[in-house]
Short mmCIF file of all heavy atoms in Angstrom, two decimals:
data_model
loop_
_atom_site.label_atom_id
_atom_site.label_comp_id
_atom_site.label_asym_id
_atom_site.label_seq_id
_atom_site.Cartn_x
_atom_site.Cartn_y
_atom_site.Cartn_z
N GLU A 249 -121.49 -41.87 -59.16
CA GLU A 249 -122.46 -42.05 -60.27
C GLU A 249 -121.83 -41.66 -61.56
O GLU A 249 -121.33 -40.57 -61.68
CB GLU A 249 -123.73 -41.21 -59.98
CG GLU A 249 -124.77 -41.44 -61.04
CD GLU A 249 -126.01 -40.52 -60.78
OE1 GLU A 249 -125.97 -39.78 -59.83
OE2 GLU A 249 -126.92 -40.55 -61.59
N MET A 250 -121.82 -42.61 -62.49
CA MET A 250 -121.14 -42.36 -63.78
C MET A 250 -122.07 -41.64 -64.74
O MET A 250 -122.34 -42.07 -65.87
CB MET A 250 -120.66 -43.66 -64.44
CG MET A 250 -119.70 -44.44 -63.54
SD MET A 250 -118.23 -43.43 -63.10
CE MET A 250 -117.48 -43.40 -64.77
N ASN A 251 -122.59 -40.50 -64.33
CA ASN A 251 -123.46 -39.65 -65.09
C ASN A 251 -123.13 -38.20 -64.77
O ASN A 251 -123.00 -37.89 -63.61
CB ASN A 251 -124.92 -39.98 -64.79
CG ASN A 251 -125.86 -39.11 -65.63
OD1 ASN A 251 -125.55 -38.75 -66.77
ND2 ASN A 251 -127.04 -38.82 -65.12
N GLN A 252 -122.98 -37.45 -65.82
CA GLN A 252 -122.54 -36.03 -65.59
C GLN A 252 -123.53 -35.14 -66.31
O GLN A 252 -123.74 -35.22 -67.50
CB GLN A 252 -121.14 -35.76 -66.11
CG GLN A 252 -120.61 -34.38 -65.78
CD GLN A 252 -119.19 -34.21 -66.24
OE1 GLN A 252 -118.81 -34.81 -67.19
NE2 GLN A 252 -118.52 -33.33 -65.55
N LYS A 253 -124.21 -34.21 -65.56
CA LYS A 253 -125.14 -33.38 -66.16
C LYS A 253 -124.42 -32.25 -66.92
O LYS A 253 -123.41 -31.71 -66.38
CB LYS A 253 -126.05 -32.73 -65.08
CG LYS A 253 -126.94 -33.71 -64.37
CD LYS A 253 -127.79 -33.02 -63.31
CE LYS A 253 -128.71 -34.07 -62.62
NZ LYS A 253 -129.57 -33.40 -61.59
N GLN A 254 -124.88 -31.99 -68.06
CA GLN A 254 -124.26 -30.98 -68.88
C GLN A 254 -124.93 -29.68 -68.65
O GLN A 254 -126.15 -29.47 -68.90
CB GLN A 254 -124.41 -31.37 -70.36
CG GLN A 254 -123.70 -32.65 -70.72
CD GLN A 254 -122.21 -32.58 -70.50
OE1 GLN A 254 -121.58 -31.65 -71.01
NE2 GLN A 254 -121.65 -33.55 -69.77
N LYS A 255 -124.16 -28.73 -68.06
CA LYS A 255 -124.67 -27.43 -67.74
C LYS A 255 -123.84 -26.38 -68.51
O LYS A 255 -122.70 -26.66 -68.94
CB LYS A 255 -124.62 -27.11 -66.26
CG LYS A 255 -125.48 -28.09 -65.46
CD LYS A 255 -125.36 -27.75 -63.96
CE LYS A 255 -126.18 -28.72 -63.11
NZ LYS A 255 -126.12 -28.43 -61.68
N SER A 256 -124.33 -25.19 -68.56
CA SER A 256 -123.63 -24.16 -69.28
C SER A 256 -122.36 -23.70 -68.52
O SER A 256 -121.39 -23.21 -69.10
CB SER A 256 -124.57 -22.96 -69.47
OG SER A 256 -124.96 -22.46 -68.20
N SER A 257 -122.29 -23.98 -67.24
CA SER A 257 -121.16 -23.52 -66.41
C SER A 257 -120.16 -24.63 -66.22
O SER A 257 -119.25 -24.50 -65.37
CB SER A 257 -121.63 -23.02 -65.04
OG SER A 257 -122.29 -24.07 -64.35
N ILE A 258 -120.33 -25.76 -66.95
CA ILE A 258 -119.47 -26.90 -66.73
C ILE A 258 -117.99 -26.56 -67.00
O ILE A 258 -117.09 -27.01 -66.33
CB ILE A 258 -119.92 -28.11 -67.53
CG1 ILE A 258 -119.18 -29.35 -67.14
CG2 ILE A 258 -119.84 -27.80 -69.04
CD1 ILE A 258 -119.75 -30.64 -67.78
N HIS A 259 -117.75 -25.81 -68.10
CA HIS A 259 -116.35 -25.47 -68.44
C HIS A 259 -115.74 -24.56 -67.43
O HIS A 259 -114.54 -24.73 -67.12
CB HIS A 259 -116.30 -24.81 -69.83
CG HIS A 259 -116.91 -25.67 -70.92
ND1 HIS A 259 -116.38 -26.88 -71.24
CD2 HIS A 259 -117.98 -25.48 -71.79
CE1 HIS A 259 -117.08 -27.42 -72.23
NE2 HIS A 259 -118.07 -26.57 -72.55
N CYS A 260 -116.49 -23.66 -66.88
CA CYS A 260 -115.91 -22.75 -65.85
C CYS A 260 -115.58 -23.53 -64.59
O CYS A 260 -114.51 -23.33 -63.98
CB CYS A 260 -116.95 -21.65 -65.57
SG CYS A 260 -116.30 -20.48 -64.34
N HIS A 261 -116.39 -24.49 -64.22
CA HIS A 261 -116.12 -25.35 -63.05
C HIS A 261 -114.89 -26.17 -63.29
O HIS A 261 -114.06 -26.35 -62.37
CB HIS A 261 -117.37 -26.24 -62.77
CG HIS A 261 -118.52 -25.46 -62.25
ND1 HIS A 261 -119.75 -26.02 -62.10
CD2 HIS A 261 -118.62 -24.16 -61.76
CE1 HIS A 261 -120.64 -25.08 -61.59
NE2 HIS A 261 -119.96 -24.00 -61.39
N ARG A 262 -114.79 -26.76 -64.50
CA ARG A 262 -113.65 -27.60 -64.85
C ARG A 262 -112.34 -26.84 -64.74
O ARG A 262 -111.33 -27.29 -64.15
CB ARG A 262 -113.77 -28.26 -66.20
CG ARG A 262 -112.69 -29.25 -66.49
CD ARG A 262 -112.81 -29.83 -67.87
NE ARG A 262 -112.52 -28.81 -68.89
CZ ARG A 262 -113.43 -28.32 -69.73
NH1 ARG A 262 -114.68 -28.68 -69.69
NH2 ARG A 262 -113.10 -27.44 -70.64
N ARG A 263 -112.35 -25.58 -65.28
CA ARG A 263 -111.09 -24.81 -65.24
C ARG A 263 -110.74 -24.43 -63.81
O ARG A 263 -109.60 -24.42 -63.39
CB ARG A 263 -111.31 -23.54 -66.10
CG ARG A 263 -111.44 -23.85 -67.59
CD ARG A 263 -111.40 -22.57 -68.34
NE ARG A 263 -111.60 -22.76 -69.81
CZ ARG A 263 -112.80 -22.65 -70.40
NH1 ARG A 263 -113.91 -22.37 -69.67
NH2 ARG A 263 -112.89 -22.93 -71.70
N ALA A 264 -111.78 -24.10 -62.99
CA ALA A 264 -111.46 -23.68 -61.60
C ALA A 264 -110.91 -24.82 -60.84
O ALA A 264 -109.91 -24.78 -60.08
CB ALA A 264 -112.78 -23.13 -60.99
N LEU A 265 -111.49 -26.07 -61.08
CA LEU A 265 -110.95 -27.24 -60.41
C LEU A 265 -109.57 -27.59 -60.91
O LEU A 265 -108.69 -28.06 -60.17
CB LEU A 265 -111.93 -28.44 -60.61
CG LEU A 265 -113.29 -28.32 -59.89
CD1 LEU A 265 -114.21 -29.46 -60.30
CD2 LEU A 265 -113.05 -28.34 -58.39
N TYR A 266 -109.34 -27.39 -62.21
CA TYR A 266 -108.06 -27.73 -62.79
C TYR A 266 -106.96 -26.88 -62.13
O TYR A 266 -105.92 -27.41 -61.69
CB TYR A 266 -108.05 -27.43 -64.31
CG TYR A 266 -106.75 -27.75 -64.98
CD1 TYR A 266 -106.47 -29.03 -65.44
CD2 TYR A 266 -105.77 -26.77 -65.13
CE1 TYR A 266 -105.22 -29.36 -66.06
CE2 TYR A 266 -104.53 -27.01 -65.73
CZ TYR A 266 -104.29 -28.33 -66.18
OH TYR A 266 -103.12 -28.57 -66.79
N TRP A 267 -107.19 -25.61 -62.11
CA TRP A 267 -106.13 -24.74 -61.47
C TRP A 267 -106.02 -24.96 -59.98
O TRP A 267 -104.91 -24.78 -59.42
CB TRP A 267 -106.45 -23.29 -61.74
CG TRP A 267 -106.21 -22.95 -63.21
CD1 TRP A 267 -107.14 -22.61 -64.17
CD2 TRP A 267 -104.97 -22.93 -63.89
NE1 TRP A 267 -106.53 -22.36 -65.37
CE2 TRP A 267 -105.18 -22.54 -65.19
CE3 TRP A 267 -103.65 -23.16 -63.47
CZ2 TRP A 267 -104.11 -22.43 -66.16
CZ3 TRP A 267 -102.64 -23.05 -64.37
CH2 TRP A 267 -102.86 -22.69 -65.69
N SER A 268 -107.07 -25.36 -59.32
CA SER A 268 -106.96 -25.68 -57.91
C SER A 268 -106.13 -26.90 -57.70
O SER A 268 -105.27 -26.87 -56.84
CB SER A 268 -108.42 -25.89 -57.30
OG SER A 268 -109.21 -24.76 -57.45
N VAL A 269 -106.38 -27.99 -58.52
CA VAL A 269 -105.46 -29.11 -58.37
C VAL A 269 -104.07 -28.82 -58.77
O VAL A 269 -103.08 -29.28 -58.17
CB VAL A 269 -106.06 -30.21 -59.31
CG1 VAL A 269 -105.09 -31.46 -59.35
CG2 VAL A 269 -107.42 -30.71 -58.80
N PHE A 270 -103.95 -27.98 -59.77
CA PHE A 270 -102.57 -27.61 -60.25
C PHE A 270 -101.82 -26.89 -59.11
O PHE A 270 -100.65 -27.18 -58.83
CB PHE A 270 -102.67 -26.77 -61.48
CG PHE A 270 -101.32 -26.28 -62.00
CD1 PHE A 270 -100.61 -27.12 -62.80
CD2 PHE A 270 -100.80 -25.00 -61.66
CE1 PHE A 270 -99.32 -26.69 -63.31
CE2 PHE A 270 -99.57 -24.63 -62.16
CZ PHE A 270 -98.85 -25.45 -62.95
N ILE A 271 -102.46 -25.95 -58.48
CA ILE A 271 -101.80 -25.17 -57.42
C ILE A 271 -101.43 -26.03 -56.23
O ILE A 271 -100.29 -26.05 -55.72
CB ILE A 271 -102.65 -24.03 -57.00
CG1 ILE A 271 -102.74 -22.94 -58.11
CG2 ILE A 271 -102.06 -23.32 -55.77
CD1 ILE A 271 -103.76 -21.86 -57.89
N THR A 272 -102.39 -26.86 -55.83
CA THR A 272 -102.10 -27.79 -54.69
C THR A 272 -101.03 -28.79 -55.03
O THR A 272 -100.16 -29.10 -54.18
CB THR A 272 -103.40 -28.51 -54.24
OG1 THR A 272 -104.01 -29.17 -55.37
CG2 THR A 272 -104.38 -27.54 -53.67
N THR A 273 -101.04 -29.30 -56.29
CA THR A 273 -99.98 -30.23 -56.68
C THR A 273 -98.64 -29.53 -56.68
O THR A 273 -97.60 -30.15 -56.31
CB THR A 273 -100.34 -30.74 -58.07
OG1 THR A 273 -101.59 -31.45 -58.00
CG2 THR A 273 -99.27 -31.77 -58.51
N ALA A 274 -98.64 -28.29 -57.19
CA ALA A 274 -97.33 -27.55 -57.17
C ALA A 274 -96.80 -27.38 -55.77
O ALA A 274 -95.63 -27.52 -55.48
CB ALA A 274 -97.49 -26.21 -57.90
N ILE A 275 -97.76 -27.07 -54.83
CA ILE A 275 -97.26 -26.92 -53.45
C ILE A 275 -96.78 -28.22 -52.88
O ILE A 275 -95.78 -28.23 -52.18
CB ILE A 275 -98.50 -26.34 -52.63
CG1 ILE A 275 -98.88 -24.92 -53.11
CG2 ILE A 275 -98.12 -26.34 -51.13
CD1 ILE A 275 -100.10 -24.34 -52.43
N ILE A 276 -97.52 -29.25 -53.21
CA ILE A 276 -97.04 -30.58 -52.69
C ILE A 276 -95.71 -30.95 -53.32
O ILE A 276 -94.82 -31.49 -52.66
CB ILE A 276 -98.13 -31.69 -52.99
CG1 ILE A 276 -99.37 -31.38 -52.21
CG2 ILE A 276 -97.58 -33.06 -52.69
CD1 ILE A 276 -100.58 -32.23 -52.60
N LEU A 277 -95.57 -30.61 -54.63
CA LEU A 277 -94.30 -30.88 -55.29
C LEU A 277 -93.11 -30.09 -54.65
O LEU A 277 -92.04 -30.59 -54.43
CB LEU A 277 -94.38 -30.52 -56.79
CG LEU A 277 -93.07 -30.74 -57.62
CD1 LEU A 277 -92.65 -32.18 -57.59
CD2 LEU A 277 -93.34 -30.24 -59.03
N ALA A 278 -93.42 -28.85 -54.28
CA ALA A 278 -92.41 -28.03 -53.63
C ALA A 278 -92.03 -28.66 -52.29
O ALA A 278 -90.79 -28.74 -51.95
CB ALA A 278 -92.90 -26.62 -53.45
N GLY A 279 -93.05 -29.14 -51.53
CA GLY A 279 -92.76 -29.87 -50.30
C GLY A 279 -91.99 -31.12 -50.51
O GLY A 279 -91.11 -31.44 -49.73
N SER A 280 -92.28 -31.84 -51.60
CA SER A 280 -91.62 -33.06 -51.92
C SER A 280 -90.12 -32.80 -52.24
O SER A 280 -89.20 -33.52 -51.77
CB SER A 280 -92.23 -33.75 -53.06
OG SER A 280 -91.52 -34.93 -53.41
N ILE A 281 -89.89 -31.70 -52.94
CA ILE A 281 -88.47 -31.34 -53.26
C ILE A 281 -87.77 -31.00 -51.99
O ILE A 281 -86.58 -31.37 -51.80
CB ILE A 281 -88.47 -30.17 -54.29
CG1 ILE A 281 -89.06 -30.59 -55.63
CG2 ILE A 281 -87.09 -29.56 -54.45
CD1 ILE A 281 -89.24 -29.44 -56.62
N CYS A 282 -88.39 -30.26 -51.12
CA CYS A 282 -87.79 -29.95 -49.83
C CYS A 282 -87.50 -31.24 -49.04
O CYS A 282 -86.48 -31.30 -48.31
CB CYS A 282 -88.67 -29.04 -48.99
SG CYS A 282 -88.80 -27.36 -49.68
N MET A 283 -88.36 -32.22 -49.14
CA MET A 283 -88.15 -33.52 -48.48
C MET A 283 -86.85 -34.15 -49.03
O MET A 283 -86.00 -34.67 -48.25
CB MET A 283 -89.31 -34.44 -48.66
CG MET A 283 -90.54 -34.04 -47.88
SD MET A 283 -91.97 -35.06 -48.24
CE MET A 283 -91.35 -36.70 -47.79
N PHE A 284 -86.78 -34.21 -50.33
CA PHE A 284 -85.58 -34.83 -50.96
C PHE A 284 -84.27 -34.08 -50.54
O PHE A 284 -83.30 -34.63 -50.17
CB PHE A 284 -85.66 -34.76 -52.49
CG PHE A 284 -86.49 -35.88 -53.06
CD1 PHE A 284 -87.78 -35.69 -53.50
CD2 PHE A 284 -85.94 -37.17 -53.17
CE1 PHE A 284 -88.56 -36.74 -54.00
CE2 PHE A 284 -86.70 -38.22 -53.67
CZ PHE A 284 -88.00 -37.98 -54.10
N LYS A 285 -84.35 -32.71 -50.56
CA LYS A 285 -83.18 -31.92 -50.16
C LYS A 285 -82.82 -32.14 -48.69
O LYS A 285 -81.64 -32.26 -48.34
CB LYS A 285 -83.45 -30.43 -50.46
CG LYS A 285 -83.53 -30.13 -51.95
CD LYS A 285 -83.67 -28.62 -52.17
CE LYS A 285 -82.43 -27.88 -51.70
NZ LYS A 285 -82.53 -26.42 -51.99
N SER A 286 -83.81 -32.10 -47.81
CA SER A 286 -83.53 -32.28 -46.38
C SER A 286 -83.04 -33.68 -46.11
O SER A 286 -82.12 -33.87 -45.23
CB SER A 286 -84.77 -31.98 -45.58
OG SER A 286 -85.85 -32.85 -45.92
N ASN A 287 -83.59 -34.64 -46.85
CA ASN A 287 -83.09 -36.05 -46.64
C ASN A 287 -81.61 -36.17 -47.01
O ASN A 287 -80.76 -36.70 -46.36
CB ASN A 287 -83.90 -37.01 -47.46
CG ASN A 287 -83.50 -38.45 -47.25
OD1 ASN A 287 -83.20 -38.85 -46.13
ND2 ASN A 287 -83.43 -39.22 -48.30
N GLU A 288 -81.28 -35.57 -48.20
CA GLU A 288 -79.87 -35.56 -48.63
C GLU A 288 -79.01 -34.74 -47.71
O GLU A 288 -77.86 -35.12 -47.44
CB GLU A 288 -79.82 -35.03 -50.03
CG GLU A 288 -78.44 -35.21 -50.73
CD GLU A 288 -78.02 -36.63 -50.91
OE1 GLU A 288 -78.95 -37.50 -50.99
OE2 GLU A 288 -76.82 -36.91 -50.91
N ALA A 289 -79.52 -33.58 -47.27
CA ALA A 289 -78.75 -32.75 -46.39
C ALA A 289 -78.45 -33.48 -45.04
O ALA A 289 -77.33 -33.39 -44.49
CB ALA A 289 -79.49 -31.45 -46.05
N LEU A 290 -79.46 -34.27 -44.54
CA LEU A 290 -79.24 -35.05 -43.33
C LEU A 290 -78.18 -36.07 -43.51
O LEU A 290 -77.33 -36.34 -42.65
CB LEU A 290 -80.55 -35.63 -42.89
CG LEU A 290 -80.53 -36.45 -41.62
CD1 LEU A 290 -80.01 -35.62 -40.43
CD2 LEU A 290 -81.92 -37.04 -41.28
N SER A 291 -78.23 -36.73 -44.70
CA SER A 291 -77.23 -37.77 -45.03
C SER A 291 -75.81 -37.17 -45.11
O SER A 291 -74.89 -37.71 -44.49
CB SER A 291 -77.56 -38.48 -46.30
OG SER A 291 -76.60 -39.41 -46.63
#
Side-chain angles (χ1 to χ4, degrees):
E249 183 182 1
M250 301 302 291
N251 180 29
Q252 187 177 27
K253 294 181 180 182
Q254 299 295 311
K255 298 180 180 180
S256 59
S257 61
I258 188 172
H259 300 299
C260 182
H261 289 168
R262 185 182 70 249
R263 293 189 184 94
L265 291 173
Y266 180 89
W267 287 111
S268 298
V269 173
F270 179 83
I271 292 172
T272 54
T273 302
I275 294 174
I276 296 172
L277 178 61
S280 176
I281 294 172
C282 292
M283 288 174 61
F284 278 103
K285 291 184 65 177
S286 59
N287 182 42
E288 187 64 26
L290 181 58
S291 178

